[in-house]
Amino acid sequence: MPAPKKPVRKGKSASQRTPSVPAGPPSTLEVDWAFFGELCRALALKVARDFDPEVILGIARAGAIPGVVVASILQREFASMVVHRPGKGEKPVLVSGPPATLQGRRVLVVDATCDTGATLALAVREVAELGPREVRSAVVIQTGEHRPDFEAFISPSFIVLPWDREVLQKGKLVVRPDYAERMTPR
């Protein structure tokens, strides 16, 4: 008598699952440039498996950087829009909308991180008003409950991106004051 077959496991294979940091008390994840580059590469590969965008739209400021990298890897057109969050916990505000050239095209809206999804939701709504053929969202690091269409990494941690670690004060680069207590000294 042949051995019973093992049930087929449905869901993502190990190569398709998004890596994540185990849940626990919020910590700080300092992302260096090399890790950031690998995350952008992973995001581009995930997108390419399931979606063929014609335009990558980066949400400036932070989303413009991964947006350009993903656009370069996928060899697609890049555009940007500007969304500003006046303060912690405040609603995002549209500063500069997406270009009208998105009409009738497949668009991927990219941001660096996503917690509440408010910035992504605003950006996707603005793009949708232009009448694209399809619009999807992507982030490098998902930090909260909101689920974009694509993410490279999931972490409950406070994220310090490589370009946010230091700021210029009195002519010198210093650790960003509002991040200082969360970061390890270098």
Side-chain angles (χ1 to χ4, degrees), residues 52-126:
D52 184 21
E54 295 169 89
V55 181
I56 309 299
L57 180 73
I59 303 173
R61 283 187 327 214
I65 298 167
V68 165
V69 174
V70 169
S72 181
I73 291 169
L74 298 179
Q75 299 179 49
R76 296 295 186 262
E77 182 181 324
F78 174 78
S80 66
M81 63 185 293
V82 181
V83 176
H84 173 70
R85 193 178 288 265
K88 187 170 176 70
E90 293 186 44
K91 290 184 177 184
V93 177
L94 181 68
V95 175
S96 174
T101 56
L102 301 180
Q103 182 178 11
R105 300 172 80 190
R106 291 181 308 278
V107 180
L108 180 68
V109 177
V110 177
D111 206 352
T113 63
C114 176
D115 187 42
T116 66
T119 299
L120 270 179
L122 173 63
V124 168
R125 269 193 316 272
E126 290 295 321

Side-chain angles (χ1 to χ4, degrees), residues 105-178:
R105 300 172 80 190
R106 291 181 308 278
V107 180
L108 180 68
V109 177
V110 177
D111 206 352
T113 63
C114 176
D115 187 42
T116 66
T119 299
L120 270 179
L122 173 63
V124 168
R125 269 193 316 272
E126 290 295 321
V127 170
E129 288 181 13
L130 297 173
R133 182 181 316 158
E134 187 174 359
V135 60
R136 294 197 193 175
S137 61
V139 296
V140 176
I141 304 172
Q142 177 192 327
T143 58
E145 295 298 314
H146 180 78
R147 296 293 309 235
D149 296 301
F150 303 97
E151 77 285 317
F153 194 76
I154 299 171
S155 174
S157 300
F158 176 81
I159 306 299
V160 177
L161 295 165
W163 56 87
D164 277 340
R165 187 179 202 293
E166 297 177 316
V167 294
L168 196 62
Q169 285 188 345
K170 298 179 184 175
K172 293 183 181 183
L173 282 174
V174 298
V175 171
R176 189 171 154 172
D178 55 334

